[in-house]
Amino acid sequence: DAKTTQPPSMDCAEGRAANLPCNHSTISGNEYVYWYRQIHSQGPQYIIHGLKNNETNEMASLIITEDRKSSTLILPHATLRDTAVYYCIVRVRPSTSGTYKYIFGTGTRLKVLA
Amino acid sequence: DTGVSQDPRHKITKRGQNVTFRCDPISEHNRLYWYRQTLGQGPEFLTYFQNEAQLEKSRLLSDRFSAERPKGSFSTLEIQRTEQGDSAMYLCASSLGERADSYEQYFGPGTRLTVT
């Protein structure tokens, strides 16, 4: 079962910041939040991840609330090429195999408008 | 490009036929994953390899599905006696190492299967 809840769709004007929210109220203390995006007919692309501190890289910023029950992905200056489905993922505890697993939800379809 | 590659990109088959997909992970990655994605849904985990050992299988992986990674490099996913419900995008991903704080998976472009 998905551990995250995201709005199904959002629009953003080109050049403006896109703020994509995610709720993960059942997250455990050592479970990371990952963000990926998927452009039509391609595989998911890694964006950023975090545990409890805010994170920033060349693609985006990740803001995680102090209680860790929600987070926001920020694309500072959205372009038309950022139009995609954005997935907020909780990486669950290691299974018996020792691997970390991604549990995907249905994501947010972001449309950047010219 | 040294990313994850998958072959074929598209496969159309008739119900009851067998199909096989191939995944070539990033060369130094020892962990390989298969996912299935149906229309409008996020990817769902199918199975996982560490080197050549298949360490976990989802309950989604019925007896008609088999995956191998014989030399710890490329992997194959075979579906026997395909059904229309098998129509989906099959995604492969790979990752490196066991660091708890950095474990991103890199995905291939996927193989889109259509069963008629």
Side-chain angles (χ1 to χ4, degrees), chain A residues 14-75:
Chain A
E14 188 178 21
R16 304 298 292 269
N19 297 291
L20 292 90
C22 178
N23 287 324
H24 31 79
S25 58
T26 61
I27 195 169
S28 298
N30 61 352
E31 291 179 338
Y32 280 74
V33 177
Y34 280 70
W35 283 82
Y36 278 71
R37 72 181 183 185
Q38 189 172 25
I39 297 170
H40 183 62
S41 296
Q42 297 182 22
Q45 176 191 21
Y46 168 77
I47 301 173
I48 199 167
H49 73 280
L51 182 62
K52 52 186 175 182
N53 297 323
N54 297 338
E55 302 287 345
T56 295
N57 63 20
E58 64 278 4
M59 288 183 69
S61 295
L62 174 61
I63 308 298
I64 302 174
T65 58
E66 192 169 344
D67 63 7
R68 300 208 331 117
K69 293 184 183 300
S70 66
S71 60
T72 301
L73 178 75
I74 301 172
L75 307 179

Side-chain angles (χ1 to χ4, degrees), chain A residues 36 38 49 91 95 97 101, chain B residues 37 56 100-101 103-105:
Chain A
Y36 278 71
Q38 189 172 25
H49 73 280
R91 192 193 69 176
S95 62
S97 71
K101 289 199 293 189
Chain B
Q37 185 175 25
E56 188 165 352
D101 62 342
Y103 212 86
E104 59 265 32
Q105 297 178 19

Side-chain angles (χ1 to χ4, degrees), chain A residues 10-19 75-83 110-114:
Chain A
M10 292 180 65
D11 290 341
C12 177
E14 188 178 21
R16 304 298 292 269
N19 297 291
L75 307 179
H77 306 286
T79 71
L80 298 178
R81 288 179 294 180
D82 292 323
T83 293
L110 175 69
K111 186 173 183 180
V112 180
L113 305 172

Side-chain angles (χ1 to χ4, degrees), chain A residues 32 34 36 38 40-46 49 87 91 95-106 109, chain B residues 9 31 33 35 37 40-43 45 48 55-56 89 91 99-109 112:
Chain A
Y32 280 74
Y34 280 70
Y36 278 71
Q38 189 172 25
H40 183 62
S41 296
Q42 297 182 22
Q45 176 191 21
Y46 168 77
H49 73 280
Y87 292 102
R91 192 193 69 176
S95 62
T96 53
S97 71
T99 187
Y100 292 84
K101 289 199 293 189
Y102 288 170
I103 306 297
F104 285 81
T106 52
R109 186 172 298 276
Chain B
R9 293 292 307 278
R31 299 182 176 219
Y33 311 79
Y35 291 80
Q37 185 175 25
Q41 302 297 314
F45 171 81
Y48 154 70
L55 297 184
E56 188 165 352
M89 174 80 85
L91 292 160
R99 287 180 57 186
D101 62 342
S102 180
Y103 212 86
E104 59 265 32
Q105 297 178 19
Y106 295 86
F107 284 81
R112 182 168 296 283

